[in-house]
Amino acid sequence: MPRPLFVFVSSLAFFAFNVKCVVPRAEPIRLTSRPLSRAAQECKVFPGDANWPSESEWARLNASMNGALLKPKPAASVCYPGPDQDPTQCQFLVSGTSSTRFWLDDPLTELTQWTQGSTCVATLTPVGNCTRGGFPEYVVNATTAQHVQAAVNFARNNNIRLIIKNTGHDFGGRSVGAGSISVWTHYLKSTEFIPSYRIGQYSGMAVRVGSGVEAWEMYNFMAANNMTVVAAGCSTVGGSGGWLSSGGHSTVTSTYGLGADQALSLEVVTADGSLVTANPLTNQDLFWAMRGGGGATYGIITSVVLKAYPPISISSSSLNLMVSNSSSTGSVGDVESFWQGVASYYKFAAGVLDAGGYGFSYIYPMANNTYRFTVSSSFPGMAPTAAFNFMQPLYDTMKRVGINVANPTIRSASLYGSRRGGTGDRPVNTRYRSRLLPRENWEDENLFNRTMRAIRTAVEGGFENNFYFHGTLTSPTEQVAGWPGSDSAVNPAWRKNRMHAMLMDVQPDGLTAQQATDRDSLMQGYMSLLRDVSPGAGSYMNEGDPGEPNWQQAFYGANYERLLEIKRKWDPTGVFWAPTTVGSEGWAVQVVDGYPNSQNGRLCRVAS
């Protein structure tokens, strides 16, 4: 088997801190579209169906929104035989986009290829033709809430699948869907700093931002206004859509809480086309659900009011270990000592989190039963000297287990809300599978040791099977979440979390449906090791597996039944649908290629 291609993180201090990755609800609207047959109602209307809107109907929709309706071709069509083929542009897509925003600003692209069906991948050696696959048929380039309302009304009235996309940072297929109309919120970019904001128990600074504002834009907004807002670590993730709706973790979540905990008020377009306010005083059930209960299923957020805090700086400390006989810093002579070192850090990390800190780690399997571990510990609001002293006991422990590595000097702290750019992301085939490992796994010594053995066993299978381990450590407790964050639909597993443990599956291009099924079975076997040591815990949907077993419990915990009631109240006919969102079990994609969890196919109701 060829050697897996892993990207080693050489500066985790950088990676953890800058990751490179009241309107009342209207009465329901009566449908005015053409009547549908009983058989047609079992599925969403699909291109080629008799009920698919005519070109003139699409043209009227476009005119009603002043030209915001797009019908883009897949960007990589330039790589395939046909009228769009352009070798120069194809070469650019394959090797020239790393310092650009090409893929982020593309109206179709989801940054995970396999969920679309991989039917039009950028490549210099194409096989077959480029087809639309799971890409939407039409895209509404929404720059106003009215554009969103028009798209929702059109999709509902014509029984067309509706999807929602911002930058395409999506690992579960929620931003693509064959035969759909897509609401592209990418250019809802408004920002407003509010020096004094009051609602309920909250009184303080706040910001109002459009749902298309990305993290890098939020950091620049912080810098311009000398304040802090909880934002995604990856610069190009949108901060007010799916990230917030499913939780949203960051460097400061042990200090201020999750992204969902920051929301004070939401503007939402609901399934009946209304633009409503949801906050602690108005439409409280919708406000509760959309903070942590998953995106793309109750409505579409167009803007959000978030808590803001005084500026804060981060002190960060990095540790790197590698099984090697060399004399370089961090080299560990034998495998057993290496794993003792890894366990020593993870055990120590509980104190980092209780101090408001954050850990960002990777374990890479390499050839000949060797491994590399790299981690950054970040301390919001802690001075460099204090952070250095805080870390020293870890290095004393390392010395006792035979690892001679020095505690690195922390020369300065970095302002959290500092300016940055947002470029470089491109489509890949990484597939996340995750588990939120609870604090009891750290408090019980035997359970902790079992947890470390589970991680080790999984990583040991990674070299031959082309996956690696990623662990982010954060503790967004209810106490940290404050008001109103502590009363929300956030997965209860987050409130007890110590480590968000992930197996990062580097899924090869071109797998057949059977090969994909076999690979999924393999990976589920490794994931069962983590589930077995954390019964009743959960998983983070934004970085989870769309094939997660018992996903209702894993992604939503005890909140699921209440969320399902809210879903049925606000979207009784199923206008909004995305995989593993609340209520999605009532529908399924009839995939054309049999590829598990692909969005390349017609969306139909599941027989009850």
Side-chain angles (χ1 to χ4, degrees):
M1 173 175 285
R3 179 186 177 94
L5 298 177
F6 296 131
V7 180
F8 291 148
V9 182
S10 60
S11 179
L12 265 290
F14 172 79
F15 237 70
F17 184 39
N18 181 9
V19 181
K20 195 118 164 151
C21 154
V22 176
V23 179
R25 182 171 183 240
E27 290 300 311
I29 296 174
R30 289 184 172 87
L31 305 189
T32 59
S33 61
R34 61 178 72 82
L36 300 174
S37 69
R38 176 180 173 85
Q41 288 177 326
E42 297 300 317
C43 297
K44 294 291 185 179
V45 174
F46 203 74
D49 290 351
N51 288 311
W52 183 257
S54 66
E55 291 296 325
S56 62
E57 289 172 290
W58 288 107
R60 284 197 295 271
L61 174 63
N62 189 35
S64 74
M65 54 178 67
N66 298 315
L69 185 67
L70 311 176
K71 191 174 184 180
K73 295 181 179 180
S77 63
V78 297
C79 297
Y80 293 79
D84 299 318
Q85 190 168 27
D86 183 337
T88 301
Q89 179 67 4
C90 181
Q91 182 68 61
F92 168 73
L93 297 186
V94 170
S95 60
T97 61
S98 61
S99 60
T100 76
R101 287 185 53 84
F102 179 88
W103 296 107
L104 295 161
D105 294 337
D106 180 69
L108 293 180
T109 298
E110 181 181 75
L111 295 177
T112 301
Q113 294 177 152
W114 68 268
T115 56
Q116 180 271 341
S118 297
T119 68
C120 193
V121 175
T123 176
L124 298 179
T125 56
V127 176
N129 297 316
C130 166
T131 62
R132 201 163 196 90
F135 287 132
E137 289 293 311
Y138 288 89
V139 175
V140 173
N141 181 16
T143 57
T144 69
Q146 290 71 33
H147 290 159
V148 179
Q149 291 176 282
V152 170
N153 288 335
F154 189 86
R156 183 196 63 246
N157 291 346
N158 290 281
N159 193 30
I160 297 171
R161 182 177 178 185
L162 180 73
I163 63 172
I164 309 159
K165 169 179 141 59
N166 182 2
T167 61
H169 277 278
D170 178 11
F171 306 105
R174 289 174 289 167
S175 298
V176 290
S180 66
I181 180 172
S182 171
V183 178
W184 191 28
T185 62
H186 190 47
Y187 290 106
L188 292 171
K189 296 285 193 183
S190 61
T191 57
E192 178 189 1
F193 175 57
I194 308 172
S196 180
Y197 187 89
R198 294 177 181 271
I199 187 170
Q201 300 175 31
Y202 184 81
S203 178
M205 294 188 294
V207 298
R208 180 181 283 106
V209 297
S211 59
V213 175
E214 298 166 51
W216 69 277
E217 295 168 312
M218 190 74 84
Y219 286 107
N220 293 346
F221 188 49
M222 293 182 220
N225 291 278
N226 194 35
M227 50 84 180
T228 294
V229 178
V230 176
C234 176
S235 293
T236 55
V237 168
S240 304
W243 180 77
L244 180 152
S245 298
S246 295
H249 66 88
S250 181
T251 313
V252 295
T253 46
S254 296
T255 299
Y256 296 128
L258 295 164
D261 299 331
Q262 313 309 311
L264 298 169
S265 185
L266 308 171
E267 295 295 313
V268 182
V269 175
T270 56
D272 63 8
S274 299
L275 177 64
V276 307
T277 295
N279 62 34
L281 309 177
T282 306
N283 296 318
Q284 294 96 329
D285 59 346
L286 188 62
F287 183 63
W288 182 84
M290 296 195 76
R291 292 173 301 128
T297 194
Y298 316 100
I300 302 175
I301 296 174
T302 58
S303 69
V304 57
V305 177
L306 302 168
K307 295 179 180 179
Y309 308 90
I312 193 170
S313 292
I314 311 285
S315 294
S316 296
S317 177
S318 293
L319 169 66
N320 294 277
L321 302 176
M322 183 164 57
V323 178
S324 172
N325 291 320
S326 75
S327 59
S328 60
T329 301
S331 294
V332 182
D334 64 278
V335 171
E336 293 304 318
S337 294
F338 171 85
W339 285 108
Q340 287 185 54
V342 171
S344 296
Y345 174 80
Y346 284 145
K347 187 72 170 179
F348 181 82
V352 174
L353 307 189
D354 290 342
Y358 183 77
F360 194 85
S361 70
Y362 288 94
I363 309 175
Y364 297 103
M366 301 188 294
N368 302 316
N369 193 31
T370 60
Y371 307 90
R372 176 171 174 164
F373 173 67
T374 184
V375 64
S376 174
S377 303
S378 299
F379 298 91
M382 188 179 290
T385 299
F388 174 87
N389 293 335
F390 188 100
M391 293 296 294
Q392 186 56 47
L394 169 66
Y395 291 87
D396 296 338
T397 299
M398 290 282 184
K399 187 172 183 179
R400 287 195 295 272
V401 300
I403 299 174
N404 293 312
V405 58
N407 184 6
T409 300
I410 304 173
R411 302 194 181 279
S412 61
S414 299
L415 184 66
Y416 176 74
S418 57
R419 294 188 179 276
R420 60 175 71 176
T423 60
D425 295 285
R426 59 162 293 124
V428 294
N429 257 355
T430 301
R431 183 165 178 174
Y432 283 72
R433 293 175 170 88
S434 70
R435 194 71 175 165
L436 295 170
L437 300 177
R439 61 178 56 235
E440 59 234 47
N441 289 50
W442 270 250
E443 295 166 350
D444 181 301
E445 190 68 25
N446 178 61
L447 185 53
F448 177 79
N449 290 335
R450 287 175 53 209
T451 302
M452 292 301 107
R453 284 198 297 272
I455 292 172
R456 176 176 178 174
T457 301
V459 173
E460 286 174 340
F463 181 77
E464 289 299 321
N465 294 299
N466 206 17
F467 67 88
Y468 56 100
F469 181 82
H470 181 24
T472 56
L473 300 106
T474 188
S475 286
T477 63
E478 288 186 358
Q479 181 179 6
V480 167
W483 187 92
S486 59
D487 182 16
S488 72
V490 163
N491 189 338
W494 268 120
R495 302 309 186 192
K496 299 179 180 180
N497 184 65
R498 281 305 195 198
M499 182 195 288
H500 175 214
M502 294 160 275
L503 299 185
M504 309 292 283
D505 178 8
V506 186
Q507 194 155 289
D509 287 330
L511 290 184
T512 66
Q514 186 58 55
Q515 288 171 327
T517 299
D518 292 344
R519 184 166 185 84
D520 184 58
S521 297
L522 172 77
M523 296 305 300
Q524 294 298 347
Y526 287 111
M527 277 303 303
S528 68
L529 299 168
L530 300 179
R531 297 188 188 108
D532 289 347
V533 297
S534 57
S539 177
Y540 178 38
M541 186 172 76
N542 279 351
E543 295 173 315
D545 181 12
E548 175 73 29
N550 192 17
W551 57 264
Q552 294 92 335
Q553 186 281 326
F555 294 148
Y556 306 98
N559 292 330
Y560 191 78
E561 290 304 318
R562 182 180 173 188
L563 286 167
L564 187 58
E565 291 178 3
I566 295 170
K567 164 69 172 177
R568 288 169 174 167
K569 171 187 171 181
W570 286 90
D571 185 16
T573 62
V575 174
F576 300 115
W577 187 91
T580 69
T581 59
V582 170
S584 62
E585 63 269 49
W587 299 77
V589 175
Q590 298 180 341
V591 294
V592 298
D593 54 7
Y595 201 105
N597 306 117
S598 168
Q599 297 305 301
N600 183 13
R602 183 190 295 261
L603 181 63
C604 297
R605 287 193 184 276
V606 175
S608 58

